[in-house]
PDB file of all heavy atoms in Angstrom:
ATOM      1  N   ILE M  14     136.308 -78.472 -50.808  1.00 97.00           N
ATOM      2  CA  ILE M  14     136.445 -79.234 -52.177  1.00 97.00           C
ATOM      3  C   ILE M  14     135.633 -80.545 -51.959  1.00 97.00           C
ATOM      4  O   ILE M  14     135.786 -81.256 -51.020  1.00 97.00           O
ATOM      5  CB  ILE M  14     137.909 -79.557 -52.444  1.00 97.00           C
ATOM      6  CG1 ILE M  14     138.639 -78.242 -52.749  1.00 97.00           C
ATOM      7  CG2 ILE M  14     138.010 -80.448 -53.723  1.00 97.00           C
ATOM      8  CD1 ILE M  14     140.096 -78.404 -52.965  1.00 97.00           C
ATOM      9  N   LEU M  40     146.961 -83.016 -44.616  1.00 97.00           N
ATOM     10  CA  LEU M  40     148.089 -82.188 -45.016  1.00 97.00           C
ATOM     11  C   LEU M  40     147.610 -80.934 -45.709  1.00 97.00           C
ATOM     12  O   LEU M  40     148.085 -79.836 -45.523  1.00 97.00           O
ATOM     13  CB  LEU M  40     149.070 -82.944 -45.971  1.00 97.00           C
ATOM     14  CG  LEU M  40     149.819 -84.115 -45.290  1.00 97.00           C
ATOM     15  CD1 LEU M  40     150.580 -84.889 -46.347  1.00 97.00           C
ATOM     16  CD2 LEU M  40     150.840 -83.536 -44.253  1.00 97.00           C
ATOM     17  N   PHE M  41     146.600 -81.100 -46.588  1.00 97.00           N
ATOM     18  CA  PHE M  41     146.024 -80.031 -47.409  1.00 97.00           C
ATOM     19  C   PHE M  41     145.400 -79.048 -46.410  1.00 97.00           C
ATOM     20  O   PHE M  41     145.590 -77.814 -46.545  1.00 97.00           O
ATOM     21  CB  PHE M  41     145.054 -80.620 -48.381  1.00 97.00           C
ATOM     22  CG  PHE M  41     144.055 -79.583 -48.984  1.00 97.00           C
ATOM     23  CD1 PHE M  41     144.609 -78.698 -49.872  1.00 97.00           C
ATOM     24  CD2 PHE M  41     142.726 -79.564 -48.673  1.00 97.00           C
ATOM     25  CE1 PHE M  41     143.711 -77.736 -50.497  1.00 97.00           C
ATOM     26  CE2 PHE M  41     141.934 -78.637 -49.234  1.00 97.00           C
ATOM     27  CZ  PHE M  41     142.400 -77.756 -50.166  1.00 97.00           C
ATOM     28  N   ALA M  42     144.533 -79.568 -45.581  1.00 96.00           N
ATOM     29  CA  ALA M  42     143.827 -78.633 -44.598  1.00 96.00           C
ATOM     30  C   ALA M  42     144.782 -77.905 -43.678  1.00 96.00           C
ATOM     31  O   ALA M  42     144.539 -76.783 -43.266  1.00 96.00           O
ATOM     32  CB  ALA M  42     142.797 -79.433 -43.846  1.00 96.00           C
ATOM     33  N   ALA M  44     147.385 -76.434 -44.334  1.00 93.00           N
ATOM     34  CA  ALA M  44     147.978 -75.256 -44.921  1.00 93.00           C
ATOM     35  C   ALA M  44     147.094 -73.990 -44.624  1.00 93.00           C
ATOM     36  O   ALA M  44     147.487 -72.890 -44.907  1.00 93.00           O
ATOM     37  CB  ALA M  44     148.055 -75.406 -46.402  1.00 93.00           C
ATOM     38  N   GLU M  46     143.934 -71.134 -44.308  1.00 91.00           N
ATOM     39  CA  GLU M  46     143.144 -70.267 -45.234  1.00 91.00           C
ATOM     40  C   GLU M  46     141.848 -70.914 -45.614  1.00 91.00           C
ATOM     41  O   GLU M  46     141.379 -70.648 -46.740  1.00 91.00           O
ATOM     42  CB  GLU M  46     143.960 -69.876 -46.465  1.00 91.00           C
ATOM     43  CG  GLU M  46     145.277 -69.110 -46.117  1.00 91.00           C
ATOM     44  CD  GLU M  46     146.055 -68.714 -47.389  1.00 91.00           C
ATOM     45  OE1 GLU M  46     145.631 -69.201 -48.497  1.00 91.00           O
ATOM     46  OE2 GLU M  46     147.005 -67.999 -47.175  1.00 91.00           O
ATOM     47  N   ARG M  48     141.133 -74.067 -46.122  1.00 95.00           N
ATOM     48  CA  ARG M  48     141.123 -75.314 -46.900  1.00 95.00           C
ATOM     49  C   ARG M  48     140.343 -76.422 -46.131  1.00 95.00           C
ATOM     50  O   ARG M  48     140.497 -76.629 -44.922  1.00 95.00           O
ATOM     51  CB  ARG M  48     142.526 -75.753 -47.153  1.00 95.00           C
ATOM     52  CG  ARG M  48     143.282 -74.926 -48.108  1.00 95.00           C
ATOM     53  CD  ARG M  48     144.817 -75.302 -48.054  1.00 95.00           C
ATOM     54  NE  ARG M  48     145.537 -74.566 -49.153  1.00 95.00           N
ATOM     55  CZ  ARG M  48     145.943 -73.333 -49.114  1.00 95.00           C
ATOM     56  NH1 ARG M  48     145.658 -72.576 -48.032  1.00 95.00           N
ATOM     57  NH2 ARG M  48     146.636 -72.868 -50.055  1.00 95.00           N
ATOM     58  N   PHE M 216     147.602 -87.135 -52.876  1.00 98.00           N
ATOM     59  CA  PHE M 216     146.226 -86.550 -52.676  1.00 98.00           C
ATOM     60  C   PHE M 216     146.413 -85.068 -52.242  1.00 98.00           C
ATOM     61  O   PHE M 216     145.605 -84.207 -52.745  1.00 98.00           O
ATOM     62  CB  PHE M 216     145.524 -87.321 -51.592  1.00 98.00           C
ATOM     63  CG  PHE M 216     144.968 -88.681 -52.031  1.00 98.00           C
ATOM     64  CD1 PHE M 216     145.317 -89.823 -51.330  1.00 98.00           C
ATOM     65  CD2 PHE M 216     144.039 -88.773 -53.050  1.00 98.00           C
ATOM     66  CE1 PHE M 216     144.904 -91.095 -51.782  1.00 98.00           C
ATOM     67  CE2 PHE M 216     143.574 -90.008 -53.450  1.00 98.00           C
ATOM     68  CZ  PHE M 216     143.957 -91.117 -52.795  1.00 98.00           C
ATOM     69  N   ALA M 217     147.364 -84.803 -51.403  1.00 98.00           N
ATOM     70  CA  ALA M 217     147.495 -83.371 -50.926  1.00 98.00           C
ATOM     71  C   ALA M 217     147.842 -82.477 -52.147  1.00 98.00           C
ATOM     72  O   ALA M 217     147.260 -81.307 -52.241  1.00 98.00           O
ATOM     73  CB  ALA M 217     148.583 -83.334 -49.882  1.00 98.00           C
ATOM     74  N   GLN M 218     148.652 -82.988 -53.018  1.00 97.00           N
ATOM     75  CA  GLN M 218     149.056 -82.086 -54.191  1.00 97.00           C
ATOM     76  C   GLN M 218     147.857 -81.905 -55.149  1.00 97.00           C
ATOM     77  O   GLN M 218     147.697 -80.696 -55.594  1.00 97.00           O
ATOM     78  CB  GLN M 218     150.205 -82.883 -55.013  1.00 97.00           C
ATOM     79  CG  GLN M 218     151.462 -82.834 -54.284  1.00 97.00           C
ATOM     80  CD  GLN M 218     152.584 -83.682 -54.837  1.00 97.00           C
ATOM     81  OE1 GLN M 218     152.288 -84.418 -55.787  1.00 97.00           O
ATOM     82  NE2 GLN M 218     153.800 -83.633 -54.331  1.00 97.00           N
ATOM     83  N   VAL M 219     147.008 -82.893 -55.347  1.00 97.00           N
ATOM     84  CA  VAL M 219     145.873 -82.707 -56.237  1.00 97.00           C
ATOM     85  C   VAL M 219     144.881 -81.750 -55.603  1.00 97.00           C
ATOM     86  O   VAL M 219     144.397 -80.820 -56.270  1.00 97.00           O
ATOM     87  CB  VAL M 219     145.200 -84.035 -56.464  1.00 97.00           C
ATOM     88  CG1 VAL M 219     143.925 -83.829 -57.309  1.00 97.00           C
ATOM     89  CG2 VAL M 219     146.137 -85.018 -57.287  1.00 97.00           C
ATOM     90  N   LEU M 220     144.719 -81.844 -54.327  1.00 97.00           N
ATOM     91  CA  LEU M 220     143.732 -80.949 -53.634  1.00 97.00           C
ATOM     92  C   LEU M 220     144.267 -79.506 -53.695  1.00 97.00           C
ATOM     93  O   LEU M 220     143.494 -78.544 -53.928  1.00 97.00           O
ATOM     94  CB  LEU M 220     143.602 -81.368 -52.145  1.00 97.00           C
ATOM     95  CG  LEU M 220     142.823 -82.674 -51.979  1.00 97.00           C
ATOM     96  CD1 LEU M 220     142.919 -83.175 -50.466  1.00 97.00           C
ATOM     97  CD2 LEU M 220     141.389 -82.552 -52.320  1.00 97.00           C
ATOM     98  N   GLU M 221     145.582 -79.363 -53.491  1.00 96.00           N
ATOM     99  CA  GLU M 221     146.172 -78.028 -53.506  1.00 96.00           C
ATOM    100  C   GLU M 221     146.109 -77.478 -54.961  1.00 96.00           C
ATOM    101  O   GLU M 221     145.735 -76.267 -55.076  1.00 96.00           O
ATOM    102  CB  GLU M 221     147.601 -78.082 -53.124  1.00 96.00           C
ATOM    103  CG  GLU M 221     148.269 -76.686 -52.978  1.00 96.00           C
ATOM    104  CD  GLU M 221     147.718 -75.853 -51.965  1.00 96.00           C
ATOM    105  OE1 GLU M 221     147.168 -76.380 -50.934  1.00 96.00           O
ATOM    106  OE2 GLU M 221     147.581 -74.579 -52.075  1.00 96.00           O
ATOM    107  N   GLN M 222     146.278 -78.269 -55.931  1.00 95.00           N
ATOM    108  CA  GLN M 222     146.061 -77.809 -57.361  1.00 95.00           C
ATOM    109  C   GLN M 222     144.689 -77.273 -57.588  1.00 95.00           C
ATOM    110  O   GLN M 222     144.442 -76.175 -58.179  1.00 95.00           O
ATOM    111  CB  GLN M 222     146.406 -78.917 -58.354  1.00 95.00           C
ATOM    112  CG  GLN M 222     146.258 -78.534 -59.799  1.00 95.00           C
ATOM    113  CD  GLN M 222     146.467 -79.752 -60.734  1.00 95.00           C
ATOM    114  OE1 GLN M 222     147.155 -80.686 -60.376  1.00 95.00           O
ATOM    115  NE2 GLN M 222     145.907 -79.684 -61.944  1.00 95.00           N
ATOM    116  N   VAL M 223     143.681 -78.047 -57.080  1.00 96.00           N
ATOM    117  CA  VAL M 223     142.255 -77.635 -57.312  1.00 96.00           C
ATOM    118  C   VAL M 223     142.068 -76.325 -56.597  1.00 96.00           C
ATOM    119  O   VAL M 223     141.392 -75.419 -57.069  1.00 96.00           O
ATOM    120  CB  VAL M 223     141.361 -78.775 -56.786  1.00 96.00           C
ATOM    121  CG1 VAL M 223     139.848 -78.226 -56.787  1.00 96.00           C
ATOM    122  CG2 VAL M 223     141.453 -80.022 -57.711  1.00 96.00           C
ATOM    123  N   TRP M 224     142.585 -76.221 -55.314  1.00 95.00           N
ATOM    124  CA  TRP M 224     142.356 -75.032 -54.501  1.00 95.00           C
ATOM    125  C   TRP M 224     142.953 -73.816 -55.317  1.00 95.00           C
ATOM    126  O   TRP M 224     142.346 -72.680 -55.331  1.00 95.00           O
ATOM    127  CB  TRP M 224     143.060 -75.199 -53.274  1.00 95.00           C
ATOM    128  CG  TRP M 224     142.825 -74.131 -52.254  1.00 95.00           C
ATOM    129  CD1 TRP M 224     143.613 -73.080 -51.941  1.00 95.00           C
ATOM    130  CD2 TRP M 224     141.703 -73.977 -51.413  1.00 95.00           C
ATOM    131  NE1 TRP M 224     143.035 -72.254 -50.961  1.00 95.00           N
ATOM    132  CE2 TRP M 224     141.918 -72.842 -50.615  1.00 95.00           C
ATOM    133  CE3 TRP M 224     140.539 -74.736 -51.108  1.00 95.00           C
ATOM    134  CZ2 TRP M 224     140.964 -72.392 -49.627  1.00 95.00           C
ATOM    135  CZ3 TRP M 224     139.605 -74.264 -50.197  1.00 95.00           C
ATOM    136  CH2 TRP M 224     139.869 -73.167 -49.476  1.00 95.00           C
ATOM    137  N   GLU M 225     144.140 -73.950 -55.805  1.00 94.00           N
ATOM    138  CA  GLU M 225     144.762 -72.846 -56.560  1.00 94.00           C
ATOM    139  C   GLU M 225     144.028 -72.386 -57.785  1.00 94.00           C
ATOM    140  O   GLU M 225     143.893 -71.312 -58.081  1.00 94.00           O
ATOM    141  CB  GLU M 225     146.268 -73.167 -56.831  1.00 94.00           C
ATOM    142  CG  GLU M 225     147.116 -73.353 -55.639  1.00 94.00           C
ATOM    143  CD  GLU M 225     148.519 -73.834 -55.925  1.00 94.00           C
ATOM    144  OE1 GLU M 225     148.757 -74.129 -57.107  1.00 94.00           O
ATOM    145  OE2 GLU M 225     149.335 -73.880 -54.972  1.00 94.00           O
ATOM    146  N   GLU M 226     143.471 -73.404 -58.493  1.00 93.00           N
ATOM    147  CA  GLU M 226     142.676 -73.160 -59.606  1.00 93.00           C
ATOM    148  C   GLU M 226     141.453 -72.409 -59.303  1.00 93.00           C
ATOM    149  O   GLU M 226     141.002 -71.440 -59.976  1.00 93.00           O
ATOM    150  CB  GLU M 226     142.292 -74.402 -60.387  1.00 93.00           C
ATOM    151  CG  GLU M 226     143.474 -75.110 -61.052  1.00 93.00           C
ATOM    152  CD  GLU M 226     143.082 -76.499 -61.701  1.00 93.00           C
ATOM    153  OE1 GLU M 226     141.897 -76.795 -61.623  1.00 93.00           O
ATOM    154  OE2 GLU M 226     143.956 -77.047 -62.308  1.00 93.00           O
ATOM    155  N   ARG M 227     140.817 -72.825 -58.197  1.00 88.00           N
ATOM    156  CA  ARG M 227     139.553 -72.106 -57.746  1.00 88.00           C
ATOM    157  C   ARG M 227     139.912 -70.665 -57.401  1.00 88.00           C
ATOM    158  O   ARG M 227     139.054 -69.727 -57.590  1.00 88.00           O
ATOM    159  CB  ARG M 227     139.030 -72.750 -56.492  1.00 88.00           C
ATOM    160  CG  ARG M 227     138.207 -73.997 -56.757  1.00 88.00           C
ATOM    161  CD  ARG M 227     137.773 -74.499 -55.400  1.00 88.00           C
ATOM    162  NE  ARG M 227     136.730 -75.467 -55.434  1.00 88.00           N
ATOM    163  CZ  ARG M 227     135.903 -75.718 -54.366  1.00 88.00           C
ATOM    164  NH1 ARG M 227     136.081 -75.114 -53.212  1.00 88.00           N
ATOM    165  NH2 ARG M 227     134.997 -76.734 -54.507  1.00 88.00           N
TER     166      ARG M 227
END
Side-chain angles (χ1 to χ4, degrees):
I14 295 176
L40 292 172
F41 166 70
E46 298 182 354
R48 288 170 173 79
F216 285 122
Q218 289 172 352
V219 174
L220 290 169
E221 187 62 32
Q222 177 184 337
V223 171
W224 186 262
E225 291 174 358
E226 288 177 0
R227 280 181 166 198

